[in-house]
Amino acid sequence: MTGKLRLGVNIDHVATVRNARGSAYPDPVRAAKLAEEAGADGITAHLREDRRHISDADIDGLMESLTVPLNLEMAATDEMQAIALRHKPHAVCIVPEKREERTTEGGLEVAKDENRLAHFIAPLRDAGCRVSIFIAADPVQVEAAARIGAAVVELHTGAYCDLHAEGRFEERDAELQRLREMSAYAHGLGLEVHAGHGLTYDTVGPVAAFPEVRELNIGHFLIGEAIFRGLTPAIAEMRRLMDVARD
Ligand code: PXP
C-alpha cells in the first residue's frame, strides 16, 4: 500500500531570519516558489498568534502565487478560523500553541477538548479545507481526532528526533515503534496519516518507511541546510532519502 509520499516544505524559518532584522528579505514566498520548483508537493506555513515568523501578508502572498497546495498551520482560535475561512487553503493543520514555547512542543490534546474542536473544524470542512490535527502518537488522541471528523492526523515526530539527537537510542526506537503503530491504527480508522517536526536527513528514513504515511512536513532542518548547499539541493536530498526509504 506504499503510495507516493508527499513532501510538504515548511518555510516558517525563512520568515524567522527576515524578522530578526525587520527587513523585507529573505522572502518566504520566494522560498516557497523555489521549493515548489525543487519538487515540494506542498508548502506548509504556521501563522502563529504572535506572528513571530509568518505574517498575514505572507499568507496572502502564498495563496496568490502557489500552484501546489498550502497547508496552513494554526491554533484553534476564532481569529485563525476567520483567516482560514477567508483564504480557504487546501489544508488546515490544527496545532497547540503556547506563546512561551520556542516551537510546537507537544501534540494537541484533542480528547480533552473534543466538543469545542468538533465545532471549530466543522466550518473549515464545510469550506472545503482538509482538516488535519497535530497529535502525539497516542491512541486516545487518534481516536478523538477520528471522532471529531478530522480527515488527517499529523503525528508529532519531535520526541523521536530529540531522542535520536540525544543518543538515547532505546527510547528513540520505542517512540518510533509508537509512531509506527499509531500510523497503522489511524489509517485503520479511516484517517490520512502525515508526520513531521524536527525531521532531518538522519531521522527521516524510518518514518518515511511507514506504509500508511502519505505526507511529511519538514522545515527547520531544510532551511538550515539551505545555508550550506542551497534550498534546491537541500530539498532534493530530502526527497531522495524519502524515496530510498519507500522502496
Ligand atoms: N508539522 C507541524 C504540525 C509543525 O508545527 C511543524 C513546525 O512548524 C512542522 C511539521 C515542521 O517542523 P520542523 O520545522 O521542525 O521540520
Side-chain angles (χ1 to χ4, degrees):
M1 195 221 28
T2 29
K4 176 169 159 65
L5 179 61
R6 294 191 301 268
L7 171 59
V9 173
N10 180 316
I11 43 81
D12 291 352
H13 297 298
V14 178
T16 304
V17 175
R18 175 193 61 194
N19 294 4
R21 292 288 292 270
S23 54
Y25 60 84
D27 176 10
V29 180
R30 182 175 167 202
K33 293 298 291 173
L34 195 59
E36 202 176 72
E37 285 164 31
D41 302 292
I43 297 296
T44 292
H46 184 176
L47 185 66
R48 293 188 75 103
E49 289 183 85
D50 63 7
R51 308 300 197 271
R52 72 173 70 153
H53 37 58
I54 293 293
S55 68
D56 297 70
D58 294 330
I59 300 296
D60 294 342
L62 290 168
M63 284 302 297
E64 269 165 35
S65 44
L66 287 184
T67 55
V68 295
L70 176 66
N71 173 34
L72 173 63
E73 289 178 5
M74 58 180 225
T77 66
D78 291 345
E79 183 203 15
M80 290 298 153
Q81 189 192 53
I83 292 170
L85 289 174
R86 192 163 72 245
H87 287 294
K88 300 186 179 60
H90 166 80
V92 172
C93 181
I94 312 294
V95 301
E97 214 174 280
K98 294 193 217 100
R99 271 176 196 254
E100 63 278 12
E101 71 191 356
R102 266 195 289 179
T103 182
T104 314
E105 282 164 2
L108 199 68
E109 293 282 345
V110 197
K112 280 191 187 150
D113 205 10
E114 211 172 306
N115 276 343
R116 189 182 78 87
L117 286 170
H119 284 104
F120 183 83
I121 69 170
L124 298 169
R125 285 173 43 195
D126 293 346
C129 301
R130 272 182 87 65
V131 177
S132 167
I133 310 283
F134 189 45
I135 55 171
D138 173 351
V140 172
Q141 305 305 335
V142 173
E143 288 159 13
R147 277 197 302 271
I148 66 169
V152 181
V153 281
E154 179 161 332
L155 298 178
H156 197 317
T157 52
Y160 154 70
C161 293
D162 287 347
L163 290 165
H164 177 85
E166 290 161 18
R168 293 158 63 187
F169 297 134
E170 266 181 42
E171 290 158 274
R172 173 202 63 186
D173 291 346
E175 179 62 16
L176 190 62
Q177 182 58 18
R178 270 190 290 279
L179 288 162
R180 187 180 291 116
E181 285 168 9
M182 282 311 109
S183 68
Y185 186 50
H187 177 77
L189 294 178
L191 292 157
E192 182 172 310
V193 183
H194 299 176
H197 209 284
L199 290 169
T200 66
Y201 293 153
D202 288 340
T203 50
V204 74
V207 179
F210 300 166
E212 301 85 5
V213 172
R214 305 311 304 260
E215 178 174 308
L216 298 180
N217 286 303
I218 308 179
H220 184 252
F221 174 81
L222 282 176
I223 302 306
E225 190 64 14
I227 295 169
F228 303 106
R229 48 170 116 194
L231 188 57
T232 301
I235 292 172
E237 176 62 3
M238 191 61 84
R239 179 78 257 174
R240 188 187 72 75
L241 292 167
M242 286 163 58
D243 291 344
V244 166
R246 207 71 172 174
D247 270 350

